[in-house]
Structure formats: C-alpha cells, structure tokens
Amino acid sequence: MTEVLFIATKRPDLGILADSVRKFRDRDATVFLTGTFHVLPVEEELSLMALEGVHQLPRGLSTRSSSVRRKAKASPAGMRVWLQAQRDRWLRRRALKAHVIVALDPGAVYTVWRLSQYNPAAEAHFGIAAALTALDKLTRQGAVARQAALPALGAVAKDVRRSIDGIPAAMMRTATARPVMRSALGARLWRSAVSAPGVPVKARVAASRYVAEGMQWAGRTSGAAIALTTAASKIPDPAVRAELLDEGVMTEIARGISPRDLRVAVAARLAQADEQYAKGHHEAASEALNRALFLDFHRVLHIDQLSSPLAEDARNYTKRLQGSTAFQAVSRPRGRKTPAAAPPKDRPLRLLVTTSANANFLQHVLSRYEDHPQVELRYLDLAAQRSLKRIAWAARLMLEDRLADGATDYQADVERLMRPYLDWADTVFLDWSVGPASMLTTIDPGDTRIVVRLHSYEAFTRWPHMTDFSRVDDLVFVAPHVKDLVTSLVPQLQGAGAPRMHVLDNAMDLSGFVVPKPDESRFNLGLIGVSQVAKDPLWAVEVLKRVRAHDERYRLLLVGGDMDPKTSKATAEYRTKFERELAPLVESGAVVRLGPTDDVPGALTDIGVIISSSVREGCHVGLMEGAASAALPVVRDWPFYAGKPNSARTLYPEGWVVGTPEEAAQRILDATSTEEKWQKAGRLASEHAVSSWDWDVVQKQFDRLFLDEV
C-alpha cells in the first residue's frame, strides 16, 4: 500500500483536509499527518478522518542549543520549521517509508524538500492536487519510482500561478531558499518552472525574480541570470522582456562577471527604443536607449577586466548599435551654421580650458597660457557649479534631446548656461571626451572653435557615441593606437565631416625627473600606479618572481594608492587575488608598498627599473616619467593593442617592449647584470624621454594647435 505523509505548519481547514484524506484513501493510500500547529485542540476531529496516524512536531526550540536558536532567529520561516522538526524520530521514520510527502502550506515546503533528500525515491510536492496527480502516476506505473526532489514541475507551475493571487512573498522565498537552489536538481526544476507553458506573464515575472533571488543566495549567480533570461524568452511584451533581460545581465555584472546574454539584453533595449521612437515617445525611447548604452559599455565589461570585447573586435561590437533607428537618430550629425573663426589678429586669443573634476593633465597647459602674451585664459571646472554639473552628465536628457531634434528643456538649459562662456571664448579646450563633450555639442557653438582631447579611458565608454563630432573642430588624441580604436568605433569620425584629428603627447615636465640614483636602486623594480585593474600589477609580480629566482636582491616598489573594492565586484576580486599574492612577498621584503605620494621624482630616485604592466594605456605617464629618471624601461606589449598597426611597440623605442613576463625578466637581468650596463641603458632612456616628451618639446605642439591658423 502507498504511504502518504502530510506536513503542515498551520492548522489546515478540517473540511478540506477530510475530503483530501478520503481521496487518498479511495486510491488505497494510507495517510499520516504531522505538523508544528497545535494538534491537541483538533485531535478529536482528526481522529474521525481515517488518518493512519497523527503526530505533534515540536512547536518551538526550547530544547535546542542557544546557537541553533540564534540560527533560527536569523532564518526564514520555513527554515525555522525545519530546525524545530529535524530531530523528531517519528517524522524521520515516516518520511523514510513514505511514497509521497506533501507540504500542506508554504511554511512546510522547506521541510518537505529536506526530507526528500533523505528519501529521494519519494514524490515530494506542495499542495493536495499535485500530490494526487503524483499518486495517480505511481498507481499507473504499478510501482514506486524515483522522482525529482521538491518541487515537482507541475506543482511549481501551479504554485507560480497561485503566488500572484495571494500567496505571500515569504512562501516563494522559502520555497526557493538557499539549500534548495544549491541542489542542481532543485535549481534546474525552478528554472524549468519559470519557462513552463501557460503561466501568466505577471506570475512568470514574479516567480523568475524569486528564483533568481534564491539562486543568488545559493551562490548560483549565472543560474540566477539564466532564470531571468529564460523567463524573458517566454514573455511577448517587449518592455517586460527587456526589463527581465536587463535584470539578468545586471545580476552577473554586479558579481563582476561578463554576462553571457549581454547581446540579447542590449538588442531588447534597442528594439524597445526603436519602437518608442517610431511612436514619437521620445522620453521612453531615450530611457530604453540609455539602458542599452549603459549595459553595452558597462565598466565591468571593458574597464575593470583584463580584456574587453571592444578591443577584440571594435567594429563588430558596435554593429548592433548602428542598426538601431533610435541610435541612428542620436548619432546623426547636426553640424554648425557657421565655421569657427580664425584666431584674432588684433588681440590675445580668448582660451577657455574646461573639464569636470579631472584636471590631472592640465597643470602645465594652464601654467603655459595664464601668462602667455598671446592668450587670455579662463578655466572652468564644470563640477564646481551644481547647475553645470547637472547638465554635464545628464545622459538620458542628452539622448532625449537628440531624439526630439532639440525640442526639449535640456537644450534650452545648456544654451542658457553655456552660451556666456561660448560668447566670450574664441577657443574652448575641453579635456576628456566624456559627458561634458556630449553636453557641449548639444548646441551650435556659433563661431567658437571647439577642441576636445580624448585620452584612453573614454574609448571604452558610451560618451563618444553620444557626442556630435560635427560640432567639434579638433579632436586631440594622446596616442596613435587610441586614435585607431576610437575612429573604428564611431562612424562620425570616419567620414568627410569628421573633425581635424591630432596626436599630442600629454604635458609632462620630464626634465625635473632627471636626478642621480644610488647604485643599489639597480635592483629595485618600480610600478607607478596600481589603483586600477588595467594596471595589472600581478604581471609585474610574475616578473619579480622570475628575476628573484636568479638574484634575491631584486625588489618591487609599488607607488600609488590601492584599488578601491567599491568600484565594482570585478575590481574587488582582482584586489583580493592581488593581496593574496602580495602578502608573503611583502613579509619577506621582496615587495615594498610606498603608497600614494606627491613626490614622484623623489620616489623614482630609488627605482632602477620602471615597469609598465598594463593591459591598456594611452601613453602611460608613469612609465615616461620613470624613463626620464634614467630607470630601465620595461613595457608590456599592452594586450588590448598588441599586434595592431599602432601599439606599445610603435609608441616606444625598439627594445623597450616585451611580450611575456619571461621576456621582461630576461631584459632586466641582461641590462642590470653590471652597473655600467644599467647606467648606460638608463641614460639612453632618459635622453629619449626628455627629447621626445618633455613639456619644452610638447608645448610647441599646443602652441600650433591653439595659435596657428587652421
């Protein structure tokens, strides 16, 4: 005879329970009932139901240890029930013999699932209807067959439907609790449930979110993303589908993972943007397009990793954007009514230098032109004024303005706030091609010349794709390889209407770094800047290990602040790995952490070998400063650009660049084998750096940019 075990945490409706027991008895099943509800008050009524047995489970944890009670207090309701019941011998004995184990209410779901782990041959279900279906199947088979663990697919689908009609969120969270989702079988069943046919959209969305939450609790981040994207594939509404896909992608991004369904999620947002744009709903279209760009150019994908799909195949990566009608409307050149005026002949050039909170590379430019007889200089930090900062980074409003062809309050705000600066200036030099560049090109600059400088970071962001370069006269790059990448990404930079393009080195006072080094610095490797994943300091650690295998006098000096783990999960994980590698080396003295400093020339005095271990750089100022100080330059062939027409190998002299840690170690060992060889190599590096990149040389390039006729 088939045995059925009912488990309840609340007193069941006695009429419904009696009817249910009859149905099971009619199928030749014996039924046992147990629960944490107070059995005694209804014991007489239960005795009339032809139940084979009734048992009272512990109703509290008074007999358990204080640690168990603390655990129960911090646990969901369903898990607390299990902690109360798990030691009950009657329950365990009956569960091992049962062919069907049934949770009569949400609070019992977790306990039934745990019991099914002890008796995997049993059918484990939530609800009478699902249990009867399972019993009928067993009867047809003529034997008790092993079945999947709680919850069965049919029960889940039915439960999903009911969850929207009144079952509290606590039940779903209990049914999708961490241990359930840790089980591969449990996780797979729940993923199947959210894609089951016939589930209403509202129910499917809610259930997929609960499943994703449970999987994240269980450490199944990609499983959570799959649950959301699987549910999304069954939803016909484009907006709802795009929202779920977005959530799935962000689930992985939040854990520092490059999402597997990124292209699908971005395509869904673009389709949503195109649909809304076609209807003339510019605000909704801009919201969808803003999310598409945010996802496509998220820093976890391109900046906080050691690789980027943009660097691997730039043109193909942005193809999906180019096919969007909404994006085409945003990137359409608006042009300017009048060309920029030539520099004035009868008065100094009015030069406005502007940025937003990042003037790291402007010190020498500002010093040069604040006392220049041919220049009247003003400096504007957009971040210093709340009204300007607000418009400088308002990505969605910029997109809405482009989609609406300027018929928005945003363009009026930009015009009102920026026109006084444009009317005064003959030339605007905007450092960093990020939000402020997109903002400034929202309006026609009149006859004011607009010069924008793009470093390296911007190439991996959405901002160049939101900038109207038909309103930029000159675009300045810091290196040829950056220019190659950006022009391959942005169609506006490929045609006849593109701005004039220049490659100008960063402004650096390298002559100030030429200072004598003590002899013992020959064995000190140095890394300037370790605060970003892109610097990949672990590569430098690998080099250190290889040279120390030959001579333990070699050390690695780290100059600069640490990575901020709050930047992203990807950054936090890299830092954790880095700290683990570094700990024994610091303890042994092989690595010295100097921390941040305002005296880089002073720090370089003790560094005899300067390393660039980065995966990507513009021109790597720290490396150039180290070379100027007569440290031996050892430059990794930056992987983002390696093998391309322009790269680290074309930026630096032959011999500076190496492909592997082994090659780097060999270059160091060869060049530092004697004091004479090391000093000669350092002297040659210093002469090249100062003669090529010192401000005395580079300032002439800036003079030509700003003051010569164009």
Side-chain angles (χ1 to χ4, degrees):
M1 184 173 283
T2 307
E3 288 194 12
V4 179
L5 175 62
F6 286 176
I7 301 177
T9 62
K10 298 177 182 178
R11 187 171 74 183
D13 183 293
L14 297 179
I16 295 175
L17 179 63
D19 183 60
S20 300
V21 172
R22 275 196 302 273
K23 290 178 180 179
F24 280 93
R25 296 286 295 184
D26 290 345
R27 289 166 169 79
D28 293 326
T30 57
V31 181
F32 295 86
L33 171 67
T34 186
T36 56
F37 68 95
H38 198 184
V39 173
L40 186 60
V42 291
E43 192 171 32
E44 185 175 343
E45 290 92 331
L46 293 175
S47 66
L48 301 175
M49 292 185 189
L51 287 162
E52 194 70 21
V54 178
H55 178 69
Q56 174 72 67
L57 289 173
R59 304 195 64 225
L61 291 161
S62 59
T63 61
R64 303 298 300 277
S65 67
S66 58
S67 63
V68 171
R69 292 198 297 272
R70 284 195 301 270
K71 181 180 179 181
K73 190 175 182 180
S75 299
M79 295 177 77
R80 289 199 297 272
V81 171
W82 171 245
L83 290 172
Q84 290 172 216
Q86 67 182 133
R87 289 189 173 185
D88 189 272
R89 291 183 179 180
W90 185 96
L91 174 68
R92 295 169 81 93
R93 185 172 65 252
R94 291 266 64 92
L96 287 172
K97 291 183 177 181
H99 300 105
V100 182
I101 308 174
V102 187
L104 296 183
D105 56 63
V109 168
Y110 183 75
T111 295
V112 170
W113 179 80
R114 289 301 296 261
L115 291 172
S116 73
Q117 309 308 295
Y118 294 99
N119 182 3
E123 289 272 359
H125 293 281
F126 170 53
I128 296 296
L132 283 169
T133 300
L135 182 60
D136 289 341
K137 185 175 72 172
L138 290 176
T139 303
R140 286 194 303 271
Q141 291 173 346
V144 176
R146 176 174 176 147
Q147 186 64 16
L150 175 79
L153 187 55
V156 169
K158 185 169 291 187
D159 179 47
V160 167
R161 296 187 188 98
R162 291 181 59 206
S163 68
I164 303 305
D165 299 326
I167 291 180
M171 184 282 293
M172 288 295 286
R173 287 197 169 92
T174 300
T176 57
R178 186 181 307 170
V180 180
M181 292 307 178
R182 259 194 206 127
S183 156
L185 185 57
R188 186 168 65 251
L189 282 168
W190 274 108
R191 282 203 303 268
S192 300
V194 299
S195 63
V199 179
V201 169
K202 189 177 179 182
R204 195 186 300 279
V205 171
S208 67
R209 285 172 173 155
Y210 285 126
V211 171
E213 181 182 302
M215 288 197 179
Q216 287 192 79
W217 284 342
R220 292 177 173 267
T221 300
S222 293
I226 291 171
L228 292 165
T229 56
T230 300
S233 69
K234 303 293 182 180
I235 293 174
D237 186 310
V240 177
R241 183 170 63 249
E243 185 69 27
L244 272 190
L245 288 167
D246 191 316
E247 290 178 27
V249 164
M250 286 306 299
T251 295
E252 291 184 293
I253 285 177
R255 299 297 297 175
I257 300 170
S258 295
R260 67 185 71 197
D261 290 313
L262 175 69
R263 288 181 176 272
V264 179
V266 171
R269 284 299 192 191
L270 291 174
Q272 185 187 9
D274 292 348
E275 179 187 20
Q276 295 301 318
Y277 176 61
K279 294 176 180 178
H281 300 162
H282 298 134
E283 182 177 352
S286 67
E287 288 175 353
L289 184 55
N290 191 41
R291 283 303 299 180
L293 290 166
F294 175 79
L295 295 175
D296 225 11
F297 294 95
H298 198 286
R299 65 174 298 134
V300 166
L301 277 69
H302 309 292
I303 295 172
D304 297 338
Q305 303 276 11
L306 298 179
S307 62
S308 163
L310 270 177
E312 293 165 6
D313 192 350
R315 289 184 186 276
N316 281 333
Y317 189 82
T318 55
K319 265 187 179 179
R320 57 178 175 266
L321 285 177
Q322 314 303 335
S324 161
T325 54
F327 182 76
Q328 289 166 11
V330 165
S331 56
R332 178 173 59 83
R334 268 66 175 177
R336 54 197 300 166
K337 293 179 181 177
T338 57
K345 300 289 187 183
D346 57 346
R347 60 172 174 79
L349 175 80
R350 291 173 180 167
L351 176 63
L352 176 69
V353 176
T354 183
T355 188
S356 180
N358 191 340
N360 294 347
F361 300 102
L362 289 176
Q363 175 188 348
H364 296 298
V365 175
L366 293 172
S367 297
R368 168 75 174 165
Y369 296 112
E370 65 183 356
D371 294 321
H372 197 290
Q374 293 177 257
V375 176
E376 183 181 349
L377 177 71
R378 286 186 183 178
Y379 173 65
L380 173 65
D381 182 356
L382 294 164
Q385 297 183 41
R386 182 177 299 177
S387 58
L388 294 176
K389 182 179 181 180
R390 179 179 58 82
I391 63 170
W393 299 96
R396 193 201 64 76
L397 295 178
M398 295 175 197
L399 294 171
E400 183 182 0
D401 181 78
R402 303 286 209 281
L403 293 171
D405 278 330
T408 66
D409 292 339
Y410 176 75
Q411 184 167 141
D413 286 344
V414 176
E415 179 70 35
R416 174 176 54 84
L417 293 167
M418 292 304 299
R419 183 56 59 186
Y421 297 102
L422 292 169
D423 285 346
W424 175 84
D426 299 309
T427 296
V428 174
F429 177 56
L430 174 59
D431 204 18
W432 300 95
S433 184
V434 284
S438 300
M439 174 273 291
L440 188 59
T441 57
T442 297
I443 59 175
D444 189 325
D447 64 354
T448 302
R449 182 183 174 205
I450 305 298
V451 182
V452 175
R453 180 164 63 172
L454 190 151
H455 293 262
S456 172
Y457 158 82
E458 304 98 298
F460 301 93
T461 72
R462 57 184 163 164
W463 298 113
H465 304 274
M466 295 173 55
T467 299
D468 189 348
F469 286 103
S470 69
R471 289 173 169 172
V472 174
D473 299 288
D474 298 86
L475 183 59
V476 177
F477 297 95
V478 298
H481 57 273
V482 177
K483 176 185 173 184
D484 292 349
L485 175 59
V486 176
T487 53
S488 71
L489 285 169
V490 184
Q492 268 198 36
L493 300 179
Q494 298 165 15
R500 294 179 294 269
M501 298 187 203
H502 315 267
V503 176
L504 272 67
D505 296 306
N506 269 318
M508 299 172 283
D509 181 17
L510 296 183
S511 58
F513 287 83
V514 182
V515 292
K517 294 181 183 292
D519 294 344
E520 57 270 19
S521 66
R522 171 163 60 114
F523 299 99
N524 290 342
L525 320 183
L527 195 59
I528 308 293
V530 291
S531 63
Q532 302 171 42
V533 172
K535 300 295 183 182
D536 197 12
L538 281 169
W539 193 89
V541 171
E542 284 300 311
V543 175
L544 174 70
K545 290 178 179 177
R546 282 166 171 77
V547 294
R548 281 180 63 83
H550 292 267
D551 191 332
E552 290 192 351
R553 287 179 294 177
Y554 288 102
R555 300 186 302 165
L556 176 62
L557 277 54
L558 301 177
V559 181
D562 295 326
M563 296 177 197
D564 183 357
K566 295 179 182 178
T567 301
S568 70
K569 182 66 175 177
T571 299
E573 288 180 353
Y574 185 99
R575 176 173 172 174
T576 299
K577 183 178 179 181
F578 180 54
E579 294 292 344
R580 190 164 53 241
E581 282 286 315
L582 223 55
L585 296 171
V586 170
E587 186 177 352
S588 68
V591 172
V592 179
R593 307 177 83 156
L594 299 178
T597 180
D598 293 328
D599 183 17
V600 177
L604 282 167
T605 301
D606 293 322
I607 292 174
V609 177
I610 186 70
I611 295 178
S612 174
S613 57
S614 306
V615 292
R616 60 171 174 82
E617 286 285 354
C619 62
H620 203 170
V621 169
L623 184 280
M624 292 174 167
E625 292 171 342
S629 78
L632 173 75
V634 178
V635 184
R636 182 185 188 180
D637 193 4
W638 304 323
F640 276 37
Y641 301 104
K644 296 182 178 177
N646 287 298
S647 65
R649 292 189 184 277
T650 57
L651 187 64
Y652 297 124
E654 184 177 358
W656 286 24
V657 183
V658 296
T660 64
E662 291 82 4
E663 289 180 29
Q666 194 58 54
R667 171 168 166 75
I668 293 167
L669 293 170
D670 290 345
T672 62
S673 58
T674 67
E675 189 173 323
E676 293 73 24
K677 290 180 70 173
W678 167 65
Q679 287 180 342
K680 180 181 178 181
R683 184 171 61 253
L684 291 173
S686 179
E687 290 171 356
H688 179 86
V690 173
S691 64
S692 301
W693 306 311
D694 186 59
W695 180 232
D696 279 347
V697 177
V698 174
Q699 68 183 3
K700 298 179 178 64
Q701 301 171 16
F702 278 86
D703 286 347
R704 286 193 292 272
L705 175 68
F706 293 139
L707 300 172
D708 286 2
E709 292 281 353
V710 292

